[in-house]
DNA sequence: TTGTACGCGTTATCAT
DNA sequence: ATGATAACGCGTACAA
């Protein structure tokens, strides 16, 4: 049961290694009969080619890697499935590479490009602006998907929504419902990514409505909890309630946070939306299934995922150069926001 | 910016390749000065070692691979994090390998063992009994985690709960609340895994209570929807309601399915639990945060995840042989089940 | 159609 | 401390 190599298979069959190789890789120049014999003994002895050796030798490979940071993020799960479907549909193979929170996704991409002779890369999650110089080391096309990297400018390929605009749209809707004191459950104060953009949208909407920005209504994420988690929403809303501050509506940075906030309200004996309105962001399935359903901004995830792969292949095949592609999101009016008076 | 190899680095520094290799891998036998020089030029020219070549040459590697089937399953996300933490804590490196629905996890494991010179493997999800013969081809220790592979017997290492027993426990509790007509939102009729076991537990509990098993109350999964999804729960419960069948409680095969069922009840103008009770299985975070919170069976995920890694390392280091390890789950009494009279 | 021999980029074993 | 060189397992030009 020990390590059996292509040489031993060749010896076992009484043929040369190249014949075995041809059999494995469906080469045309091989006699059907010998091919069968080789495949049989491969079966019999459970020979499995060593991928490292293959990758080392190959000069190209028709594989696309998807690097995902934050694999437990439910926002990503459907997207990954679309990636997989679209990539295999193009007869390419698909590698999903998980990136730890503390790892640098670009470093991993650079390694992987060499190791697997990649044709293209998709980044899902991660990728803040300070990775810019490293990106230059990638010699193959890549697309940054659903991460709003405004700082990177349009010289990199990306598919995203305009987080600032969509956040503004939602908050404007809340104001239109008569809400003037809207608490924000925000990301970290140091956030440079979507957390910052959604905050900006919030401020812009208030300003346009002539409502002063009240810092005491902004709750920054608990640093000891995952920012986009229900637990975080629960803790923040609880603290907000206990502070006795006055508000009629909560805008949470994501749907999960919104659901956590709802739970805190329920636990405090309040009703949603009768006593307090709640809105989220992203448009996850659970936002629709929650009771009450959550008013939110739905990012067109499927379309964005498809567009990501389309753009990537367009770049691979030279039909297109890197560009920033911005999608419109949709305001979903659920049952969690009440119109005042 | 093209492929730069160790040879060119050596030439650039005016040293031999072995010296460069020593610098990279922190070998002791190298002059600190030359080491610095080498590392500098590596920086300067962005040299990145080729992993395929490394793996090919190495004979061992201190890495553990986790093969996960069904990466979008929220039940797995927390578990994976524990794996990662525990594995790196042991100074091993951790590779998360995604397995497509149609792929064979054991085939991939066999490849990966050779390719990366693995020390151990964890299977998360997948792995029904017909993979048995192939498992013999794995020459390194592996643990099957949170998949209840009763058919495989105890000759394989696994960490799980007793799905039949826990399902029985929950249904018995429901009966104890006075429910006699309990609908089951089940997996596929062909299911040979946890779906079947949970169904068995359901039947056993009814039998013990002297309640006849009513086939018309068992709704098999919609084959066009993911079995363990909210969408599926919604569709099944809707169909059940429209059929006009009589029931006071719904037991869903998982928490997600339970939440979908709740939505269908709400949409039909019913209240939970006043008009109909609902119970789930797994104990996901959302079961607790949902409104009403869902009565469910909570699998001790963290403990099971830790036990998985502990068992794996015990096997790697020869302190333990393969064994089946069964954990007790906990009945979580939420707000979604009402006691009749 | 088939086999031989070389090289992919790296690490490890020798000498030096 | 350092450098030449032999593997690692495979694909492929080239010769047969």
């Amino acid at each position: 049961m020990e390590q059996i190599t292509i040489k031993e298979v060749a010896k076992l069959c009484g043929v040369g290694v190249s014949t075995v190789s041809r059999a494995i890789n469906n080469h045309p120049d091989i006699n059907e009969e010998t091919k069968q014999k080789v495949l049989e003994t491969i079966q019999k002895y459970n020979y499995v080619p060593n991928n490292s050796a293959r990758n080392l030798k190959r000069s190209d490979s028709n594989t696309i890697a998807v690097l995902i940071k934050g694999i437990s993020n439910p926002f990503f799960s459907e997207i990954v499935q679309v990636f997989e479907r679209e990539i295999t549909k193009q007869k390419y193979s698909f590698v999903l590479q998980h990136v730890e929170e503390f790892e640098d996704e670009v470093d991993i991409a650079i390694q992987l490009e060499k190791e697997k002779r990649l044709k293209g890369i998709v980044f899902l999650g991660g990728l803040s602006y300070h990775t810019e110089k490293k990106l230059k080391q990638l010699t193959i096309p890549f697309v940054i998907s659903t991460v709003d990297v405004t700082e990177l400018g349009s010289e990199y390929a990306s598919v995203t929504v305009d987080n600032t605009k969509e956040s503004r749209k939602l908050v404007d809707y809340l104001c239109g419902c008569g809400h003037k004191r809207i608490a924000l459950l925000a990301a970290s104060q140091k956030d440079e990514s979507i957390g910052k953009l959604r905050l900006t949208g919030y401020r812009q909407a208030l300003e346009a409505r002539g409502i002063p920005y009240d810092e005491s209504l902004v709750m920054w994420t608990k640093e000891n909890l995952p920012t986009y988690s229900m637990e975080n929403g629960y803790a923040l809303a609880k603290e907000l309630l206990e502070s006795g501050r006055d508000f009629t509506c909560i805008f949470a940075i994501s749907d999960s946070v919104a659901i956590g906030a709802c739970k805190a309200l329920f636990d405090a004996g309040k009703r949603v939306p009768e006593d307090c309105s709640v809105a989220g962001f992203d448009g996850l399935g659970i936002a629709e299934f929650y009771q009450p359903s959550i008013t939110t901004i739905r990012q067109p995830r499927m379309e964005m995922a498809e567009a990501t792969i389309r753009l990537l292949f367009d770049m691979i095949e030279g039909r297109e150069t890197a560009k920033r592609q911005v999608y419109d999101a949709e305001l979903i009016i659920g049952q969690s926001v009440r119109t005042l008076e």
Side-chain angles (χ1 to χ4, degrees), chain A:
Chain A
M1 192 56 53
E2 283 318 304
Q3 306 285 12
I4 174 170
T5 76
I6 196 171
K7 275 184 200 161
E8 328 203 32
V9 175
K11 207 167 292 172
L12 251 22
C13 297
V15 300
V17 286
S18 39
T19 307
V20 179
S21 178
R22 280 188 265 264
I24 298 171
N25 299 302
N26 284 318
H27 269 285
D29 295 351
I30 184 173
N31 183 303
E32 186 59 32
E33 206 173 318
T34 53
K35 180 172 176 177
Q36 286 312 319
K37 191 177 65 182
V38 170
L39 291 180
E40 262 174 44
T41 52
I42 282 178
Q43 274 285 339
K44 188 172 165 193
Y45 290 88
N46 295 317
Y47 164 69
V48 177
N50 182 315
N51 262 325
S52 292
R54 291 186 129 174
N55 292 330
L56 187 57
K57 186 63 194 173
R58 286 193 207 287
S59 48
D60 68 320
S61 79
N62 275 17
T63 75
I64 307 287
V66 175
L67 274 72
I68 173 172
K69 195 160 192 171
I71 203 161
S72 64
N73 188 336
F75 183 77
F76 291 155
S77 38
E78 191 187 340
I79 292 177
V80 170
Q81 292 179 20
V82 176
F83 285 164
E84 180 192 329
R85 192 187 63 215
E86 297 299 315
I87 289 172
T88 53
K89 192 186 286 178
Q90 304 272 354
K91 305 290 179 210
Y92 274 59
S93 50
F94 158 84
V95 173
L96 185 64
Q97 174 74 38
H98 172 224
V99 181
E100 316 289 346
E101 199 50 56
F102 61 91
E103 286 178 322
D104 185 323
E105 49 276 356
V106 185
D107 282 338
I108 298 199
I110 293 168
Q111 273 188 238
L112 221 53
E113 177 186 342
K114 294 196 171 186
E115 179 175 343
K116 308 242 180 183
R117 316 287 185 184
L118 298 180
K119 274 280 178 37
I121 298 176
V122 174
F123 290 102
L124 191 57
L127 262 215
S128 58
Y129 67 102
H130 35 267
T131 48
E132 183 153 9
K133 309 118 220 166
K134 280 191 191 159
L135 284 174
K136 300 239 192 291
Q137 290 181 46
L138 289 174
T139 64
I140 53 171
F142 60 92
V143 179
I144 303 165
S145 189
T146 74
V147 186
D148 196 349
V149 280
T150 34
E151 307 92 341
L152 282 177
S154 54
E155 77 175 297
Y156 296 103
S158 66
V159 176
T160 176
V161 299
D162 183 335
N163 278 272
T164 306
K165 177 181 125 193
E166 304 300 342
S167 170
R168 194 171 60 223
K169 187 201 288 180
L170 174 60
V171 175
D172 187 65
Y173 165 77
L174 298 176
C175 294
C177 290
H179 293 281
K180 288 189 168 51
R181 298 196 56 77
I182 303 170
L184 176 69
L185 307 190
S188 163
Q189 207 159 162
K190 306 188 288 270
D191 187 289
E192 297 284 348
S193 179
I194 57 173
K196 185 182 184 181
L197 300 172
R198 292 179 189 174
L199 169 64
T200 303
Y202 165 83
R203 297 190 63 156
Q204 288 179 354
L206 292 183
E207 191 176 348
R209 290 275 183 169
I211 299 172
Y213 170 73
D214 181 354
E215 224 174 41
S216 76
L217 288 180
V218 176
M219 304 292 293
W220 305 107
T221 184
K222 295 281 178 191
E223 296 291 352
N224 56 332
L225 291 174
T227 299
Y228 298 93
S229 65
M230 298 185 289
E231 288 77 8
N232 191 34
Y234 184 84
L236 292 177
K238 187 153 183 273
E239 187 177 329
L240 189 63
L241 283 165
E242 288 170 354
S243 76
R245 264 163 263 179
D246 181 37
F247 56 93
T248 63
C249 182
I250 294 177
F251 170 31
I253 195 84
S254 84
D255 291 335
S256 295
V257 176
I259 285 169
C262 284
K263 189 67 178 178
L265 288 164
F266 295 139
D267 281 3
K270 308 239 181 223
R271 292 162 304 165
V272 177
E274 291 81 355
D275 301 318
C276 181
S277 295
V278 174
F281 200 111
D282 281 343
L284 297 183
I286 188 66
E288 184 188 339
F289 279 92
Y290 198 71
Q291 185 65 14
S293 62
I294 306 289
T295 291
T296 187
I297 291 286
R298 198 184 77 79
Q299 300 195 48
R301 285 182 286 172
M302 302 277 287
E303 294 167 50
M304 290 166 73
E306 284 167 10
T308 297
I309 303 304
R310 212 179 312 127
L311 177 54
L312 184 62
F313 277 109
D314 282 349
M315 289 167 68
I316 289 173
E317 285 157 25
R319 288 192 297 272
E320 186 71 85
T321 58
K323 65 173 179 185
R324 180 170 147 87
Q325 217 164 315
V326 180
Y327 274 73
D328 278 324
E330 186 186 359
L331 172 63
I332 302 286
I333 298 180
Q335 308 158 332
S336 65
V337 173
R338 170 182 165 228
T339 302
L340 295 182
E341 68 251 61

